[in-house]
Amino acid sequence: MRLEDTDRCLYVEDDVNGESVYYLDPALTLPYTGVIYTTYRGKIESEAVYFQGLKNGLEYVYNEEGEIIQIDECRGNVQFGISKEFENNRLSSISINYNNSWVKVLYVGENCEIIDTQKYYYDVTKGDEVPQGNASLTRMPYECLPSYIRLLLELSDQELVDYEFKDENPYLRPPYTI
């Protein structure tokens, strides 16, 4: 099924993050599985795969001209995995996200070259220092990250640039694996 977020057959409850959980009954017992899209001024603004009521799959965000400006992997209503952003139909950044937070961000130039990298985790086995003070609030230890996020962190920069999204990514569907 593919429904607009305002479709009368959908019933909504907010999750702990304030994101919508979609159901097919007013008692909120039948979670929706399918695609939900949003519109703005008559044009599709975004569309995402929902599984068991939650955003569990790929989300596409469009600009006013209908061009893709962002693709996100989502799990449990949050960004979880790879996100790619586009400007003027070209890749501008790639991020690895864990629960809506950046773990690593690559900024990409005109010729798909990496122009900057920001890292928001640390790995003491690779010589990283344990952050002190406020930095520890925004930097995560590598060993505490879920296996899928660690798997993505092991990809080279070029592999991240070339990363192809999969509609049936098992890491994005319940039962969630660590």
Side-chain angles (χ1 to χ4, degrees):
M1 289 175 57
R2 185 173 186 271
L3 301 172
E4 188 169 4
D5 65 332
T6 57
D7 195 292
R8 291 180 181 255
C9 75
L10 291 173
Y11 298 85
V12 179
E13 175 182 55
D14 287 341
D15 71 6
V16 294
N17 299 314
E19 294 291 324
S20 296
V21 181
Y22 291 94
Y23 296 89
L24 293 171
D25 67 318
L28 307 178
T29 60
L30 298 169
Y32 173 77
T33 294
V35 173
I36 293 181
Y37 65 95
T38 61
T39 59
Y40 179 72
R41 295 184 180 172
K43 295 183 179 182
I44 294 180
E45 180 179 54
S46 69
E47 57 186 331
V49 174
Y50 282 75
F51 184 77
Q52 296 181 357
L54 302 172
K55 202 180 303 179
N56 283 305
L58 299 179
E59 175 182 42
Y60 297 86
V61 181
Y62 303 92
N63 65 15
E64 293 164 354
E65 288 78 40
E67 301 163 335
I68 293 177
I69 57 172
Q70 189 166 331
I71 305 172
D72 303 311
E73 290 182 329
C74 299
R75 180 172 107 168
N77 263 2
V78 295
Q79 290 179 357
F80 184 91
I82 297 289
S83 178
K84 289 187 175 187
E85 293 186 26
F86 303 87
E87 291 178 17
N88 301 319
N89 286 318
R90 72 163 188 82
L91 183 63
S92 60
S93 69
I94 305 155
S95 58
I96 299 172
N97 303 295
Y98 171 48
N99 291 346
N100 279 348
S101 295
W102 285 339
V103 177
K104 181 179 179 179
V105 182
L106 303 173
Y107 297 95
V108 181
E110 300 256 343
N111 298 314
C112 285
E113 77 279 9
I114 306 304
I115 55 176
D116 191 21
T117 301
Q118 298 293 316
K119 188 172 138 181
Y120 298 92
Y121 72 98
Y122 63 94
D123 186 350
V124 293
T125 66
K126 293 186 178 172
D128 292 342
E129 298 276 332
V130 176
Q132 301 298 314
N134 290 339
S136 65
L137 298 175
T138 59
R139 297 190 62 204
M140 298 165 264
Y142 178 85
E143 67 273 3
C144 291
L145 294 168
S147 61
Y148 181 55
I149 302 303
R150 291 193 314 261
L151 180 125
L152 293 172
L153 287 170
E154 296 304 318
L155 296 176
S156 71
D157 290 351
Q158 188 60 50
E159 289 171 313
L160 290 170
V161 168
D162 296 338
Y163 182 85
E164 291 186 25
F165 294 99
K166 299 177 195 128
D167 288 328
E168 297 298 322
N169 184 332
Y171 291 102
L172 306 179
R173 292 282 174 98
Y176 301 128
T177 55
I178 299 177

